[in-house]
Structures are given as structure tokens and as C-alpha cells.
């Protein structure tokens, strides 16, 4: 009888599983959180309620922040299909860095009594975040979530969102939780008594071969989660580089400048041209809707199977449907030439190189010098200079990503394929997270258009004007290159004897040909 019930439960569709269940979500104001909430409510419309942990920010109350999200374009489809949307989403004031998540006693009791599914995606995703804050948010936040989950009488699944790069110190990353060199508790204790200067001095030694505090604390958080969640239905989802949406709720949606999106915006505006990276290495991008679909399915599978171990799901694309950084750069250039941004500084032409000397040289000549020239022009025309500051910010942003554009990883995906195999055909269509379905050329086109529309706030209807402006910019840039080449050549001829001799030789040949051609013409 029990086996029969288990079989029936396993065959239950994902929307049916979520019916009449209440969900607790952290990180809902983040990029992935917004897409997760929208997809859950749109594809599982019988969900009872979603409790959303939100902290006040910039004078906005949690309720106001959630209202701004559900009134955005991302939720257009959902608002039209769910009139009672506002009644389904319940913002609760709190913060993962606070004891008991900063919840009021009443809110905590309500969440404990009603929640069946927990999605924990709140974290600091800043690569260069101070270690103490990273520990508080990414490690201590996990501990507080587990403490709350243990009190939930109806808990069926707790899904923790990590990153595929948590173990970027390994070339081959399996779907297991690796033991860190130092126990998380020791790091937590150290952050309690060490002052800011001591922590800063120790950070590079602690993170070791990892490039930043983000990946380091994410790895620590995974280990702490496994250790402290014994007996709870827990799973870990590790997305790689999360990019714009592939299909849902519409292609190309993105609302931040994190990761590759910031680079795309800078390239599109003609501000970024050279980056350190390997054109043959994998750009392991995963669309945000692909990642959130996986999260929803993982919660379902965790609940219906009640595995005794914490399953890890590497939600990546590189080993399944490879996109290289070189191919990505080519697509981006083509897309921004065909669909240019407004007010471009220069014509987009992104390039990668592994030679740091060449990268630094080209950065100076191709980005810094033009920035000073453009700022000089702004000054003499009475406008505020900005391009040098932009280049400073770009330099920092590009530097934080160089580790990922220059290295290659092999992410194992056994559990992802196991999960797909356990889903019905209908669920696989509704909650598609198979990277093999992604057409990268089409995806990058929509990604670039999404950056234009949703990040740079440009009207797609104005594309004809932008194309005319690009053609004008191309002509100006070509003319400037010719002028620059002539000036450099004249300088070399005047200053360098070899070039002076070469120039005289060239002039001699031209004069010789000029005299001989008429004679040859008459003789014929």
C-alpha cells in the first residue's frame, strides 16, 4: 500500500503538487527571485500563498517594494491571469543578517504554521564584497533559514540556491558538497572578534585559489547547510552564470548590470572593447528562467522522494550545449551593429585576449586615451566629463570577471538529467530547464535587445534612428583612423631614420612609375 501511494505521489504533476501549498521565499527582490515568484504563480496557479522575506530599502517598505515588482512588465501576463495576485503574495519584513531573520513574532508563527516549501536565494552576489558581510549573508543566512525550517511542521522541501562556481578551485565539479579547508564555524567565530583591518588582511589567505569572497562563502554555506539540516528535506541548486530569460515570461528579460549583462551594456554603448579571456573557453551562461524552472522542479522532486541525502543539481550549460566566449563576443558585436544603442560613444567591437601585456596596452590606447579625449570635448562644450570615470568602473568590473572568462570547468549534470527523466512530458514542457533546447544565436539576440530595452531603457521603436546614428559614427570613426594613421606615419618619418628612408624609397618608386607609365602607354 505504501509503495502504491509513493508511486501515485511520484506521478503527481508539478502544478498539482504545489496546489494549496504556502511557500516562503527569500531573495525575491533579486533577479532570480522575481522570475521564480512569477513562474510559480503563473504555472502553479493553485498555490495558496507566497510569503516573501523583504527588508525595507531606501525609504520603501516591504509592501511597496513588492507592489513595484508585481506592477512591472515582468508580471504583465500574471496580473492578467490572476486577479487576486496581491492577496497571494504576503511580504514579511525581515533580513537574513538579523537573528531569527528579523521576523516579528507574529510573522514567524504564521510562516512556521503554514509553509510547506522554502526557496532560499537571498545572498550578496557582489564579487568584491567584504568578507564579514559575505559571511553574515551567505553563511549565517543559511543557518538562520535552517533554524526556521526546523520549526516548520509541514516542511516538504527546502531549496538552497548556490552557484556552480562555489567550487571553482576545482576543474571538475561533481554534484556533491565538498568539505572546505576550514570549518564554517571557525570563520563565523573569527568574524565576531576580528576588526575590519585584520579581516581585510586575512581575506586573500582564507579564500586561497578562489577569486572572491562570493564563491568562498557560497562553498562554506553549502557545507554548513548539509551539516545543520540533517533530517530535513533539503536540496541545492547551483546555477552557473545567470543571464537574461530564454523564453519566459518573454525572451530577453533582465533588470540588472550583474555579470555579463553589465559587459553587454558597456559593449553596446561603445565603451568596452578589450577583455582578458580565452575565446575557446566556455561561457557557461544559464538563462534565468531555465534556472528557476529547475528550482521549482527540484522542490517537487525533493518533496515526493524524501531523499536521506542532500542532492545537488549543477544547473549549467557548458557540457551540454557549449557557448564559447569567442562565439559570444561575435554574437554581441553582430547584434549591436544590427540593433545599435542610442548615443553610442564608439562602434561596438568586443575582443578577448589571453596576453595581459596586449590587453593592458590596448586598454590604454583603445579605451583610456579615447575616454580622456571625449571628456576634453565635454569640458570645452560646457558639459560634465564622465568617460574616464566610466572606464575606471569598467576596469574594476572586467577585472572581477577575468577569472571566469579565462578558465574552463567541467560541471557534472547527472542529477539534472535524472530530474528531467522523472518528470512527465507535460511538466518538462511547462518547466523546461534542459539546456539543449537553447539556441544561443537567438538567445544572444534577445539578450542584447533585452539589455537595450530593460536595462538601458531604450525604445525598440527608435531603432531606425539608432541605425542612422551608427552609420554616421562608422564614417566618422573611419575618417579618424585615416587621420590618425597619417599623423603617426608623418611622426615616424620625421623622427625615425628607418621610416624616413623607407618613405624616400616609396616616393622614388612612385615617381619612377609616374614617369614610366606614359612612355609605356605611347609605345603600345
Amino acid at each position: 500500500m505504501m509503495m502504491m501511494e509513493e508511486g501515485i505521489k511520484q506521478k503527481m504533476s508539478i502544478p498539482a503538487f504545489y496546489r494549496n501549498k504556502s511557500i516562503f521565499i527569500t531573495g525575491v527582490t533579486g533577479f532570480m527571485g522575481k522570475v521564480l515568484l512569477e513562474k510559480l504563480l503563473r504555472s502553479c496557479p493553485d498555490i495558496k500563498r507566497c510569503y516573501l522575506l523583504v527588508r525595507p530599502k531606501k525609504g520603501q517598505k516591504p509592501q511597496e517594494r513588492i507592489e513595484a515588482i508585481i506592477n512591472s512588465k515582468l508580471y504583465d501576463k500574471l496580473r492578467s491571469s490572476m486577479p487576486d495576485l496581491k492577496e497571494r503574495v504576503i511580504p514579511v519584513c525581515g533580513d537574513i543578517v538579523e537573528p531569527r531573520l528579523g521576523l516579528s513574532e507574529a510573522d514567524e508563527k504564521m510562516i512556521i504554521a503554514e509553509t510547506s516549501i522554502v526557496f532560499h536565494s537571498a545572498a550578496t552576489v557582489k564579487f568584491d564584497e567584504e568578507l564579514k558581510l559575505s559571511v553574515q549573508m551567505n553563511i549565517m543566512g543559511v543557518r538562520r533559514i535552517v533554524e526556521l525550517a526546523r520549526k516548520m511542521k509541514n516542511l516538504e522541501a527546502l531549496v538552497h540556491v548556490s552557484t556552480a562556481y562555489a567550487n571553482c578551485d576545482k576543474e571538475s565539479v561533481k554534484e556533491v558538497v565538498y568539505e572546505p579547508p576550514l570549518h564554517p564555524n571557525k570563520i563565523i567565530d573569527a568574524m565576531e572578534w576580528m576588526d575590519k583591518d585584520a579581516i581585510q588582511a586575512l581575506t586573500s589567505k582564507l579564500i586561497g585559489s578562489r577569486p572572491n569572497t562570493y564563491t568562498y562563502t557560497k562553498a562554506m554555506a553549502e557545507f554548513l547547510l548539509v551539516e545543520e539540516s540533517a533530517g530535513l528535506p533539503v536540496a541545492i541548486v547551483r546555477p552557473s552564470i545567470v543571464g537574461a530569460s530564454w523564453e519566459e515570461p518573454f525572451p530577453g528579460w533582465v533588470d540588472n548590470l550583474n555579470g555579463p549583462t553589465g559587459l553587454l551594456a558597456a559593449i553596446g554603448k561603445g565603451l568596452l572593447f578589450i577583455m582578458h579571456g580565452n575565446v575557446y573557453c566556455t561561457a557557461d551562461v544559464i538563462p534565468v528562467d531555465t534556472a528557476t524552472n529547475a528550482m521549482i522542479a527540484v522542490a517537487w522532486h525533493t518533496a515526493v522522494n524524501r531523499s536521506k541525502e542532500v542532492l545537488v543539481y549543477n544547473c549549467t550549460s557548458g557540457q551540454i550545449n557549449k557557448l564559447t566566449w569567442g562565439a559570444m563576443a561575435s554574437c554581441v558585436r553582430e547584434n549591436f551593429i544590427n540593433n545599435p544603442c542610442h548615443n553610442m560613444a564608439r562602434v561596438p567591437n568586443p575582443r578577448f585576449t589571453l596576453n595581459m601585456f596586449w590587453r593592458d596596452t590596448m586598454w590604454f590606447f583603445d579605451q583610456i586615451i579615447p575616454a580622456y579625449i571625449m571628456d576634453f570635448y565635454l569640458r570645452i562644450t560646457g558639459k560634465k566629463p564622465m568617460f574616464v570615470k566610466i572606464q575606471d568602473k569598467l576596469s574594476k568590473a572586467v577585472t572581477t570577471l577575468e577569472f571566469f572568462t579565462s578558465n574552463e570547468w567541467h560541471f557534472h549534470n547527472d542529477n539534472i538529467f535524472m530530474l528531467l527523466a522523472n518528470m512527465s512530458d507535460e511538466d518538462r514542457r511547462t518547466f523546461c530547464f534542459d539546456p539543449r533546447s537553447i539556441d544561443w544565436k537567438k538567445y544572444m539576440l534577445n539578450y542584447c535587445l533585452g539589455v537595450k530595452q530593460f536595462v538601458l531603457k531604450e525604445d525598440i521603436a527608435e531603432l531606425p534612428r539608432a541605425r542612422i546614428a551608427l552609420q554616421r559614427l562608422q564614417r566618422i570613426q573611419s575618417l579618424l583612423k585615416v587621420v590618425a594613421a597619417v599623423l603617426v606615419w608623418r611622426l615616424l618619418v620625421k623622427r625615425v631614420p628607418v621610416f624616413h628612408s623607407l618613405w624616400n624609397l616609396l616616393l622614388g618608386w612612385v615617381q619612377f612609375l609616374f614617369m614610366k607609365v606614359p612612355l609605356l602607354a605611347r609605345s603600345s
Side-chain angles (χ1 to χ4, degrees), residues 473-523:
L473 187 60
Q474 286 173 322
R475 288 193 292 269
I476 293 170
Q477 198 162 301
S478 297
L479 178 62
L480 288 173
K481 284 180 179 178
V482 171
V483 171
V486 170
L487 290 174
V488 169
W489 179 254
R490 284 180 61 87
L491 183 65
L492 289 172
V493 167
K494 281 188 175 183
R495 301 287 183 182
V496 182
V498 173
F499 283 95
H500 183 74
S501 301
L502 186 63
W503 179 242
N504 287 335
L505 180 64
L506 183 62
L507 287 177
W509 272 102
V510 170
Q511 187 177 8
F512 173 77
L513 290 172
F514 184 76
M515 293 174 65
K516 288 292 183 182
V517 167
L519 293 174
L520 290 171
R522 282 199 295 270
S523 64

Side-chain angles (χ1 to χ4, degrees), residues 53-57 60-62 65 92-96 137:
L53 185 73
V54 185
R55 61 187 174 90
K57 186 179 180 182
Q60 274 192 315
K61 297 177 181 177
R65 294 185 70 188
V92 290
C93 186
D95 195 330
I96 59 170
M137 294 188 72

Side-chain angles (χ1 to χ4, degrees), residues 216-388:
Y216 176 73
T217 53
K218 277 294 191 178
M220 288 280 186
E222 286 187 5
F223 186 79
L224 187 78
L225 175 66
V226 172
E227 195 173 68
E228 299 197 353
S229 66
L232 295 179
V234 173
I236 297 171
V237 177
R238 290 178 181 156
S240 48
I241 303 169
V242 182
S245 60
W246 164 229
E247 289 182 328
E248 294 185 282
F250 46 83
W253 184 81
V254 63
D255 73 339
N256 63 79
L257 289 168
N258 294 334
T261 306
L263 300 185
L264 263 60
I267 291 166
K269 282 292 189 179
L271 297 168
L272 179 61
F273 297 90
I274 189 76
M275 290 166 281
H276 183 251
N278 189 336
V279 294
Y280 301 109
C281 279
T282 304
D284 208 311
V285 176
I286 199 77
V288 63
D289 50 332
T290 302
T292 51
N293 281 340
M295 290 166 60
I296 294 167
V298 164
W300 162 79
H301 188 266
T302 303
V304 299
N305 284 279
R306 301 291 294 193
S307 174
K308 292 182 180 179
E309 60 178 339
V310 176
L311 289 183
V312 179
Y313 300 81
N314 285 340
C315 189
T316 60
S317 62
Q319 269 61 54
I320 307 164
N321 185 4
K322 186 168 182 172
L323 171 71
T324 64
W325 289 109
M328 185 176 180
S330 297
C331 284
V332 170
R333 182 187 182 280
E334 180 184 348
N335 290 327
F336 279 127
I337 292 294
N338 294 333
N339 305 290
C341 295
H342 298 298
N343 303 318
M344 286 185 298
R346 293 163 64 198
V347 179
N349 186 26
R351 305 179 300 283
F352 283 101
T353 179
L354 279 173
N355 189 310
M356 283 302 294
F357 174 77
W358 179 248
R359 183 262 189 197
D360 292 341
T361 302
M362 291 306 298
W363 187 275
F364 179 75
F365 285 104
D366 213 12
Q367 301 208 178
I368 300 299
I369 290 178
Y372 275 100
I373 292 171
M374 288 186 284
D375 273 356
F376 175 73
Y377 173 77
L378 290 176
R379 280 194 179 92
I380 63 175
T381 55
K383 296 176 183 176
K384 187 178 179 181
M386 60 178 179
F387 289 104
V388 172

